[in-house]
């Protein structure tokens, strides 16, 4: 072994030093570091001597320490002080610059970890950072030149461990860089780590100059929002079932193999449920109900925001995550080739670190009091319902979020974002109190931590960013703390919202609940009661009947009550108020009449979705009638409950799936069903059982309208949500006659009378005598679309 001592020479070897916990900065040894030096110690073999002899030189400005060093494991790195910007690991000047923010840490070191050592939970090489040379303000940084092949990185921070003050520094933990572009731990989805560890050590990828991807000239599609048809989908669930017959089931590549299905359905935008790096083993436990294990299947528990989920790739951890990044890029590129935009569901409201009992993975160990919203005694605010709340409007945190969104747009070519529990992003940060903002208390001021802000800094920054304001921005405008902002979310006239009120009102009306006719009409118009004031447009409303959270479309008409026993929580989880109706019998086993009614209701919901102003969103599997057995909270199931059943889709290809394809095609063809502004009386006219006599009474269950359309001429749409049939009188149009197109009361394929329907003319003639007299008979619980055509006889 060699004995290395510090000297006044230009090149120094860094001493390894882990200071004791819970000490002030003044109590730690400070090592002066020269601007450039050679470093070759191995952290797994470098040990601080039990007796450290330190002598002050030049008035106590420099310290001398004896360090015992073994033979290095990784070869030599040329180390210099580095640059504070940009954050993360960045290739520059023939090496890699590392930069990370921590305001409250008193010491930090960069940890280099080989792939072999990662599996053994060892640090291969550690480089302590000198607060005098490797720190600018609150940013720690270092620059390295050397060989980084199959080498990962993390950080070790130390400082106070005081929950009451909100500090969780722990020098025994190697934490992830929040700006890491790929996270490496386990390589295969659902497989335990070494020693059956659900949380094995994670580390970040070190970028290389040769990291390239051939985009083949890919450019943003830039669809107008009014023209979108969104499809909410789960990356793994879409192709994991054996019936998908894909080469790489459950992966980004698997989706690529099935993009033609989405094209056929009429989808031009996919919304990917979370595919930032998360740990699917977070809830891992045996589920005695199904005989398998509970997983974090949905992924709403982010570990790192810049990294695509490596276990959604066929490559896994191969090439230190670079291949996983390229597979995600390949998905985006191929989707764009087929005219399909890609939106990401992002979870900036909380992280996987949970409350005070959660693990130290990244943000908590770097600077807990900065990244999380804390109460005065260090408790975690829980507006997310998941243990912690990301401190979104803290200056450092909102810069991280902005940098992250820009990265996914610029580097990964995504077309926009849906923000989970977005109302949290409008709450005041832990700094948001008069003393911090103004330097003194303000009498009568009520804006404390977590208070809703009228002009949230983060939303302001995103909305006015020259890059981000050009992509799709969609808010889930509520949170678990009771803040509900549908129609009032700060928007700068560019944000859209998941319209939860549309979902609730449409469910109530279609199932025949009194008192919703007027509200249903508002939904058909794009909810002007919510969005017109303030200059917003119909496309600010994302219309949906079903989403990942709640009943599927098939279950919505099959179950009155949730059936979540398979979750292992005694049916106590999930929403109790679903506004569903089983059509007369509970569960899948029902009479033929009940099953026919259920099919009509599913068609009614889909017709409503496609003829309403605003942006329609379809949930994965609803196009063929996927059932989850009445489970409305399937977050923990990596099995058939959440898997898209391609065999079932083929079975229904001549039935409901065909109907959905035809309805989306009809929406794209009509110029009046995706307006850029709310319809006025010049274009739209309301009707009841008789023309121009709408019924908005509390007992009304009938809504009809005609709408001028530049492509179709004029269309007549009616919904009868009554248990009784009705014969409606149609508006008179001299020289023209109404032709049937859609009637959900008819069996397939006559529910949609496009030209490909066999014996179509005969089917039309069956209603000829009604239409000649300007009448049309409607089945109970049915909807129709008629098209105005020239009357050849006239």
């Amino acid at each position: 072994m060699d004995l290395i001592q510090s000297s006044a020479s230009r090149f120094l070897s860094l001493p390894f030093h882990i200071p004791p916990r819970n000490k002030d900065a003044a109590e730690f040894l400070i090592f002066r570091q020269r601007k450039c030096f050679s470093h070759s110690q191995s952290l797994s073999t470098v040990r601080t001597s039990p007796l450290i002899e330190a002598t002050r030189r030049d008035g106590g400005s420099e310290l001398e320490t004896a360090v015992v060093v073994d033979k290095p494991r990784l070869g030599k790195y040329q180390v210099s002080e580095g640059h504070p910007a940009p954050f993360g690991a960045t290739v520059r000047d023939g090496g890699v610059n590392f930069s990370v923010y921590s305001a409250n840490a008193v010491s930090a070191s960069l940890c280099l970890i080989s792939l072999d050592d990662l599996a053994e939970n060892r640090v291969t090489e550690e480089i302590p950072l000198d607060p005098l040379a490797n720190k600018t303000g609150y940013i720690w940084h270092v620059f390295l030149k050397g060989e980084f092949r199959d080498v990962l990185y993390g950080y070790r921070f130390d400082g106070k461990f005081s929950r009451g003050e909100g500090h969780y520094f722990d020098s025994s933990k190697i934490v992830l860089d929040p700006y890491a572009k790929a996270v490496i731990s386990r390589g295969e989805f659902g497989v335990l780590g070494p020693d059956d560890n659900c949380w094995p050590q994670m580390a970040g990828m070190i970028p290389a100059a040769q990291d390239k991807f051939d985009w083949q000239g890919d450019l943003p599609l830039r669809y107008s929002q009014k023209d979108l048809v969104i499809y909410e989908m789960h990356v793994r669930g879409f192709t994991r079932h054996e019936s998908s017959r894909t080469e790489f089931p459950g992966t980004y590549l698997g989706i690529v193999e099935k993009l033609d299905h989405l094209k056929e359905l009429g989808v031009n935008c996919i919304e990917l449920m979370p595919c930032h790096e998360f740990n699917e083993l977070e809830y891992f436990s045996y589920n005695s109900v199904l005989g398998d294990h509970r997983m974090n299947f949905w992924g709403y528990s982010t570990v790192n925001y810049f990294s695509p989920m490596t276990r959604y790739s066929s490559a896994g951890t191969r090439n230190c995550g670079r291949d996983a990044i390229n597979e995600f890029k390949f998905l985006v590129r191929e989707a764009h080739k087929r005219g399909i935009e890609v939106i990401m569901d992002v979870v900036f409201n909380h992280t996987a670190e949970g409350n005070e009992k959660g693990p130290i993975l990244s943000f908590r160990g770097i600077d807990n009091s900065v990244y999380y919203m804390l109460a005065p005694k260090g408790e975690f605010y829980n507006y997310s319902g998941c243990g912690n709340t990301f401190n979104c409007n803290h200056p450092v945190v909102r810069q991280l979020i902005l940098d992250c969104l820009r990265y996914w747009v610029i580097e990964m070519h995504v077309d926009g974002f849906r923000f989970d529990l977005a109302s949290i992003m409008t709450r005041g940060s832990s700094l948001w109190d008069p003393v911090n903002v103004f330097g003194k208390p303000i009498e009568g001021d009520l804006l404390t931590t977590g208070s809703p802000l009228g002009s949230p800094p983060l939303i302001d920054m995103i909305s006015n960013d020259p890059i981000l304001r050009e992509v799709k921005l969609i808010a889930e405008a509520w949170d678990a703390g009771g803040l509900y902002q549908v129609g009032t979310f700060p928007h700068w006239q560019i944000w859209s919202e998941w319209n939860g009120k549309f979902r609730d009102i449409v469910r109530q009306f279609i199932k025949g609940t009194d008192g919703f006719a007027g509200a249903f009409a508002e939904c058909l118009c794009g909810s002007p009661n919510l969005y017109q004031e303030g200059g917003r447009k119909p496309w600010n409303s994302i219309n949906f009947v079903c989403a990942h959270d709640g009943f599927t479309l098939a279950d919505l008409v099959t179950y009155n009550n949730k059936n979540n026993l398979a979750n292992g929580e005694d049916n106590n989880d999930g929403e109790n108020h679903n506004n569903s109706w089983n059509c007369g019998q509970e569960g899948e086993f029902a009479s033929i009449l009940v099953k026919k009614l259920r099919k009509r209701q599913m068609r009614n919901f889909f017709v409503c979705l496609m003829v309403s102003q605003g942006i329609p969103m379809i949930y994965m599997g609803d196009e063929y009638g996927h059932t989850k057995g009445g489970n409305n909270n399937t977050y923990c199931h990596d099995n058939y409950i959440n898997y898209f059943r391609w065999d079932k889709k083929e079975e229904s290809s001549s039935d409901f799936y065909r109907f959905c394809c035809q309805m989306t095609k009809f929406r794209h063809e009509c110029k009046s069903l995706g307006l850029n502004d709310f319809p006025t009386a010049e274009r739209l006219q309301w009707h009841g059982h008789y023309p121009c006599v709408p019924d908005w009474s509390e007992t009304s269950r009938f809504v009809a309208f005609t709408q001028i359309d530049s492509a179709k001429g004029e269309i007549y749409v009616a919904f009868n949500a009554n248990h009784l049939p009705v014969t409606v009188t149609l508006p008179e149009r001299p020289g023209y006659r109404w032709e049937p197109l859609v009637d959900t009361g008819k069996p397939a394929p006559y529910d949609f009378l496009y030209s490909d329907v066999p014996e179509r003319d005969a089917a039309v003639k069956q209603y000829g005598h009604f239409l000649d007299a300007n009448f049309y008979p409607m089945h109970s619980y049915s909807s129709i679309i008629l098209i105005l055509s020239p009357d050849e006889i006239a």
Side-chain angles (χ1 to χ4, degrees), residues 520 524 603-612 659-670 672-673 702-709 712-720 728 730-731 737-746 750-754 760 764 767 771 775-779 782-789:
F520 181 72
L524 293 172
R603 285 166 169 78
N604 292 335
F605 280 120
F606 206 84
V607 169
C608 172
L609 195 60
M610 290 300 149
V611 301
S612 295
F659 182 85
C660 292
C661 291
Q662 301 287 30
M663 275 304 309
T664 54
K665 179 182 178 183
F666 176 73
R667 179 181 175 86
H668 286 306
E669 290 174 347
C670 287
S672 63
L673 297 182
F702 184 88
V703 172
F705 65 91
T706 51
Q707 188 155 296
I708 304 298
D709 186 272
K712 301 292 185 181
E714 189 174 2
I715 62 174
Y716 176 92
V717 182
F719 295 87
N720 178 29
V728 297
L730 302 173
R737 62 180 281 126
W738 293 103
E739 293 285 347
L741 179 67
V742 174
D743 188 340
T744 63
K746 294 180 180 179
Y750 304 106
D751 51 356
F752 205 116
L753 292 176
Y754 258 148
R760 178 186 180 278
V764 172
Y767 286 85
L771 294 170
F775 294 113
Y776 194 90
M778 290 186 67
H779 207 295
S782 70
S783 52
I784 61 172
I785 300 177
L786 309 179
I787 304 294
L788 196 65
S789 301

Side-chain angles (χ1 to χ4, degrees), residues 304-341:
N304 181 279
Y305 291 109
F306 285 83
S307 309
M309 177 66 167
T310 55
R311 292 174 297 287
Y312 279 172
S313 71
S314 67
T317 58
R318 190 177 64 218
N319 198 15
C320 292
R322 294 178 179 87
D323 290 354
I325 293 174
N326 287 339
E327 285 192 22
F328 184 92
K329 291 179 177 179
F330 180 72
L331 165 59
V332 175
R333 189 188 75 188
E334 296 306 302
H336 286 174
K337 285 182 180 179
R338 290 164 177 81
I340 299 173
E341 292 190 332

Side-chain angles (χ1 to χ4, degrees), residues 4 76 279 296 332 339 402 751 794:
I4 301 179
K76 293 185 177 181
N279 183 7
N296 176 9
V332 175
L402 199 76
D751 51 356

Side-chain angles (χ1 to χ4, degrees), residues 719-730:
F719 295 87
N720 178 29
N722 205 309
H723 64 285
L724 298 175
V726 63
T727 299
V728 297
T729 303
L730 302 173

Side-chain angles (χ1 to χ4, degrees), residues 350-518:
H350 76 283
T351 77
E353 292 183 306
N355 59 20
E356 68 278 359
K357 297 180 181 179
I360 296 175
L361 306 173
S362 179
F363 308 99
R364 174 163 297 157
I366 294 175
D367 212 331
N368 181 79
S369 63
V370 167
Y371 287 105
Y372 295 113
M373 200 178 291
L374 303 179
K377 295 184 178 180
E379 306 97 327
F380 289 89
Y381 281 102
N382 189 19
Y383 296 118
S384 68
C386 297
N388 66 52
T389 303
F390 213 45
N391 204 16
C392 295
N393 282 301
H394 186 287
V396 171
V397 181
R398 65 177 184 251
Q399 186 63 54
L400 178 141
I401 294 173
L402 199 76
D403 291 343
C404 176
L405 296 174
R406 278 187 158 210
Y407 172 79
W408 285 95
V409 171
I410 297 171
E411 296 296 328
M412 309 296 267
H413 286 208
V414 303
D415 302 283
F417 307 92
R418 179 264 186 188
F419 295 81
D420 182 65
L421 298 183
S423 290
I424 282 176
M425 300 194 303
T426 72
R427 291 184 180 271
S429 73
S430 294
L431 290 178
W432 205 270
D433 62 77
V435 175
N436 280 319
V437 177
F438 302 106
K440 62 180 180 179
I442 296 179
E443 185 176 351
D445 184 79
L446 299 176
L447 283 180
T448 57
T449 299
S451 295
L453 305 176
S455 182
L458 174 60
I459 306 301
D460 188 347
M461 289 175 68
I462 294 173
S463 303
N464 294 292
D465 183 86
I467 293 173
L468 299 179
R469 70 173 288 109
E470 294 299 315
V471 304
K472 277 71 178 180
L473 301 172
I474 302 171
E476 183 184 37
W478 56 83
D479 64 25
L483 183 56
Y484 191 80
Q485 297 176 305
V486 173
T488 61
F489 188 85
H491 53 81
W492 277 263
Q493 297 187 347
I494 62 174
W495 284 75
S496 299
E497 298 172 9
W498 265 28
N499 191 344
K501 293 185 178 181
F502 177 99
R503 172 199 61 204
D504 298 340
I505 291 169
V506 167
R507 288 185 179 191
Q508 291 276 27
F509 178 81
I510 293 295
K511 75 172 184 172
T513 305
D514 285 340
F516 284 91

